[in-house]
Amino acid sequence: MKKLIYFLTCVFSVMLFAACGSDTSTPKAAAENWGNMMKSGDYEGIVDQIAYPDNLSAEEKEQSKEMFLSLFNDKVKAQMEKKGGITSTEGLSETISEDGKTAKVEMKVVYGDGSEDEQTLDLVNVNGDWKLSIDK
C-alpha cells in the first residue's frame, strides 16, 4: 500500500514526465518519453514503463498493471482534466547513482490552468532501459 501511495503521489504531484520519442536509454530521456505519453493520454504506455518488483509472478505483474491502468483512467485522467492538461514539461536535472542502477530526475510540469509542479522521479535501470521505480 505504501508503494501505491508513493506512486500516486508522484503521479498526482507531477503528472510525470516530458517531450517526445520513445528513448529510454537515459533517465531524462525516459522521463521525457513518459511526459509525451501523459500528454497524449497513453496510460497503457506509461504502465508498461513501470519497473515491477522481480519477486512478482507473471500473473501478479499483470494484475498490478491492470490496477495501475485503472487508477490512471479513473483518478489521473480526472486530475488532468481539473488542471487543464499539461502544457509543458521540462527535465531540470538527472542524477545517476555511482553503480548506474538507479537515478533521480527533477521534472517541472506546467498545467493548462497555469499551475506548476516540480517533483523528483525515482528510476531504475532494467536491462539498459530506465523505468519508473515503485519499489519504495
Side-chain angles (χ1 to χ4, degrees):
M1 190 60 159
K2 210 175 197 183
K3 291 177 188 178
L4 175 63
I5 291 170
Y6 174 77
F7 179 74
L8 289 176
T9 299
C10 287
V11 171
F12 293 135
S13 296
V14 179
M15 291 307 176
L16 311 173
F17 334 118
C20 60
S22 61
D23 182 15
T24 57
S25 62
T26 68
K28 192 173 178 180
E32 291 171 350
N33 181 50
W34 298 324
N36 189 49
M37 288 184 222
M38 184 61 80
K39 286 180 192 179
S40 68
D42 182 8
Y43 302 133
E44 254 182 75
I46 293 169
V47 168
D48 286 339
Q49 293 302 311
I50 294 172
Y52 297 93
D54 291 334
N55 62 347
L56 294 181
S57 69
E59 183 179 325
E60 289 171 322
K61 284 182 184 178
E62 191 57 38
Q63 289 174 347
S64 293
K65 284 184 176 185
E66 289 175 17
M67 178 192 68
F68 281 123
L69 185 57
S70 176
L71 287 171
F72 271 99
N73 283 319
D74 294 343
K75 305 283 185 204
V76 175
K77 189 175 183 179
Q79 191 73 13
M80 290 291 296
E81 289 172 0
K82 285 182 185 177
K83 291 187 170 249
I86 295 174
T87 59
S88 69
T89 57
E90 178 183 359
L92 301 174
S93 68
E94 72 177 13
T95 306
I96 301 173
S97 66
E98 284 187 31
D99 65 7
K101 294 180 181 179
T102 61
K104 293 186 180 292
V105 176
E106 296 286 330
M107 295 295 298
K108 177 182 176 183
V109 179
V110 179
Y111 301 98
D113 66 2
S115 65
E116 298 180 4
D117 278 321
E118 287 186 17
Q119 181 74 27
T120 301
L121 300 178
D122 292 317
L123 293 86
V124 62
N125 191 321
V126 178
N127 300 322
D129 288 327
W130 289 95
K131 297 190 176 228
L132 182 63
S133 176
I134 58 170
D135 195 21
K136 282 279 176 188

